[in-house]
Amino acid sequence: MEQLLLHLRNLGFTEMESKIMVELAAKGQASGYEVAKQLGVSRSNVYAALQRLTQQGYVRCGEGEPARYSVLNPEELAVMISGRVQDSLLFVENEMPRGGPVSPSFYNMEGERNVLGTLIRQLNSAKQEIVVDVWREEASLLRNELEQAELRGVRLLWAFDGGNAGPVPYPAWPPLDGGARRTDGRKFSFVIDRRWCMLGMRYEDGTVQSVVTEHPVLVELLLNHFTQEMVLFELEQDMGTELEQRYGEHYSNIYRKYVMYEQDEIEEE
């Protein structure tokens, strides 16, 4: 029920209108008094909402005393709402003022629905290339959009993590202040048509945070990181045993020069 009310509100209906429509759909038809009694709200508010819904065509008012109301069946309701939404979207697209150029900015985004929704819209509008650096769990959430992009002729470049195969993992830099570092997250990044990018983290508790920008500096950094990962991956595939013998697993002896771990500090003491 709550999900249905939420989606009705997302379509532009008020809380009261949404509850009335659901109640009428469940009862078939009812008077304003019956609806108000069932919902536990004032009759004046119910009758005002019923009048709006009737004028808009979503609810029908039958003859008789007292008047009895019924809502359109789900198929009719969906067609009517869809048509009106499409008309409004087309009008906004054509009439919305288009100003001058906007300087690239960085935007913080939170929430899985918000982040994935933004990402899906960008994937669906990709025209030439999508660069993906992502764990398999997150890639599975976007499988349909990525497949559709490939069918449109968009080139997909992949770097996977979290599996048995993939780019050489980078070390995690520990906090210098000795504070705890949250380790239950999975990083992801997308670069679309070499102009738009998203860099973020998805945690086990469902929390999602990301940065979105068209700033060329971050776009270039992510593209360079992707290239370096894939070059290292190919080198490891060709020279894995030799590299491990000389530099340690995942080149740990090289990384140790630049990233100080707590264990290193203990050994030095």
Side-chain angles (χ1 to χ4, degrees):
M1 173 69 77
E2 287 302 319
Q3 284 294 312
L4 177 56
L5 292 174
L6 172 63
H7 284 286
L8 285 169
R9 292 197 299 272
N10 288 343
L11 290 169
F13 296 101
T14 66
E15 179 80 15
M16 178 67 72
E17 290 169 346
S18 300
K19 290 182 177 180
I20 290 173
M21 292 168 69
V22 173
E23 178 65 20
L24 290 176
K27 292 289 178 57
Q29 62 177 4
S31 67
Y33 170 78
E34 292 170 334
V35 172
K37 183 178 180 180
Q38 182 64 33
L39 297 180
V41 296
S42 70
R43 281 183 288 176
S44 60
N45 289 340
V46 168
Y47 278 113
L50 282 169
Q51 184 177 12
R52 291 194 302 270
L53 290 170
T54 301
Q55 291 173 345
Q56 294 168 353
Y58 299 118
V59 166
R60 299 188 180 102
C61 179
E63 298 291 335
E65 185 61 38
R68 300 182 69 78
Y69 298 87
S70 62
V71 67
L72 299 181
N73 65 50
E75 293 77 16
E76 291 178 301
L77 195 61
V79 169
M80 179 178 287
I81 294 173
S82 177
R84 292 180 176 178
V85 169
Q86 290 301 320
D87 289 343
S88 294
L89 288 174
L90 183 61
F91 184 86
V92 169
E93 181 180 353
N94 293 331
E95 301 299 328
M96 180 67 76
R98 289 170 170 80
V102 178
S103 300
S105 299
F106 296 87
Y107 301 97
N108 294 319
M109 301 189 69
E110 295 188 4
E112 183 172 52
R113 180 177 180 180
N114 192 22
V115 170
L116 289 181
T118 299
L119 187 52
I120 286 172
R121 288 193 295 273
Q122 292 295 327
L123 292 174
N124 288 338
S125 65
K127 293 180 172 58
Q128 294 178 292
E129 180 185 85
I130 300 173
V131 177
V132 185
D133 191 348
V134 67
W135 288 60
R136 296 185 187 277
E137 290 86 344
E138 280 62 54
S140 66
L141 298 176
L142 301 162
R143 178 177 177 179
N144 181 65
E145 286 74 24
L146 293 170
E147 288 179 347
Q148 290 300 313
E150 280 193 302
L151 291 175
R152 296 197 308 272
V154 176
R155 182 173 73 149
L156 261 63
L157 300 175
W158 295 85
F160 276 118
D161 205 348
N164 295 325
V168 178
Y170 288 93
W173 289 56
L176 291 176
D177 60 4
R181 179 179 182 274
R182 189 170 182 180
T183 59
D184 64 329
R186 296 189 292 270
K187 293 177 288 188
F188 61 87
S189 68
F190 290 80
V191 180
I192 298 177
D193 290 335
R194 301 187 187 179
R195 62 165 185 82
W196 182 96
C197 66
M198 175 184 284
L199 173 65
M201 182 79 80
R202 185 169 184 261
Y203 295 98
E204 294 296 336
D205 62 4
T207 303
V208 182
Q209 297 174 319
S210 70
V211 174
V212 175
T213 186
E214 293 187 9
H215 200 291
V217 170
L218 187 55
V219 170
E220 184 176 356
L221 283 173
L222 290 178
L223 289 174
N224 287 340
H225 176 77
F226 173 83
T227 303
Q228 291 166 9
E229 277 197 315
M230 300 315 297
V231 168
L232 288 174
F233 174 64
E234 291 200 21
L235 285 174
E236 190 175 68
Q237 297 301 301
D238 291 340
M239 307 172 62
T241 303
E242 181 180 344
L243 289 171
E244 186 170 335
Q245 289 174 347
R246 183 169 181 179
Y247 299 112
E249 185 180 10
H250 303 314
Y251 322 130
S252 59
N253 292 338
I254 299 178
Y255 286 133
R256 196 176 294 271
K257 298 178 184 178
Y258 307 103
V259 183
M260 181 178 290
Y261 293 93
E262 294 178 3
Q263 184 62 35
D264 296 334
E265 296 175 342
I266 293 173
E267 291 175 357
E268 290 177 3
E269 293 176 358

